[in-house]
Amino acid sequence: KAGATVGEKRKGLALLTDEEKLILVKAKAIESRNKSKAKWQEPPRRKTHGDYLLEEMKWLATDFAHERKWKMAQAKKVAQAVVKYHAQRQQRAERVERDKDARVRKRAAQIAREVRRFWSNIQIVAQHKQQMQVDKEKKKV
């Protein structure tokens, strides 16, 4: 009864025999068991152009993602190399400046030694000259 209400269905069930009720219960059990299963498995189908196109799109998407990651990694390496280059360049400039200062100091030390040696020799000559004058004075007297 398609348009029957719940009450009418119960009255209809009351009119059924025990055997018919048992059959209905078994049918409902089979029906509920079959509902959980897939009705029919689809047969395997051949790939179409659309399927190949979708596969290609998936592959291309993953390829683009991997390439983007690779490019970011390469950009990071290049950036680090540039930073390292500039740091080394700065260190090289500082080292050149230190070496220049050290050469200037070394040259100044050499000049100072030469000046000291010159005046030391002049002092010896002056002392010798003075000694000679003293000796000359002693001989005169």
Side-chain angles (χ1 to χ4, degrees), residues 60-76:
L60 200 56
T62 56
D63 186 49
F64 269 88
H66 285 118
E67 188 168 350
R68 185 172 45 251
K69 286 180 185 178
W70 176 80
K71 281 185 178 183
M72 291 298 283
Q74 292 302 319
K76 184 177 179 182

Side-chain angles (χ1 to χ4, degrees), residues 46-60:
R46 298 178 67 194
K47 285 188 175 181
T48 62
H49 173 70
D51 294 330
Y52 288 110
L53 190 63
L54 285 174
E55 282 182 13
E56 182 74 14
M57 287 170 60
K58 286 179 188 176
W59 173 82
L60 200 56

Side-chain angles (χ1 to χ4, degrees), residues 20-66:
E20 290 172 334
K21 288 180 185 177
L22 184 62
I23 292 171
L24 282 176
V25 169
K26 285 182 182 179
K28 284 184 181 180
I30 292 171
E31 194 176 75
S32 66
R33 202 175 13 194
N34 286 340
K35 278 186 183 177
S36 63
K37 294 181 184 176
K39 290 186 179 183
W40 299 101
Q41 281 189 343
E42 283 190 33
R45 63 182 184 89
R46 298 178 67 194
K47 285 188 175 181
T48 62
H49 173 70
D51 294 330
Y52 288 110
L53 190 63
L54 285 174
E55 282 182 13
E56 182 74 14
M57 287 170 60
K58 286 179 188 176
W59 173 82
L60 200 56
T62 56
D63 186 49
F64 269 88
H66 285 118

Side-chain angles (χ1 to χ4, degrees), residues 84-119:
K84 183 179 178 183
Y85 167 77
H86 285 289
Q88 288 175 344
R89 187 173 167 195
Q90 180 68 26
Q91 289 172 350
R92 213 174 310 125
E94 290 171 359
R95 185 173 51 244
V96 166
E97 187 67 29
R98 280 194 312 265
D99 291 348
K100 183 180 175 185
D101 289 345
R103 283 194 305 273
V104 167
R105 287 175 192 262
K106 188 175 181 180
R107 184 66 183 143
Q110 288 174 344
I111 292 171
R113 279 194 297 274
E114 290 295 322
V115 168
R116 196 177 307 121
R117 195 174 301 134
F118 171 79
W119 286 111

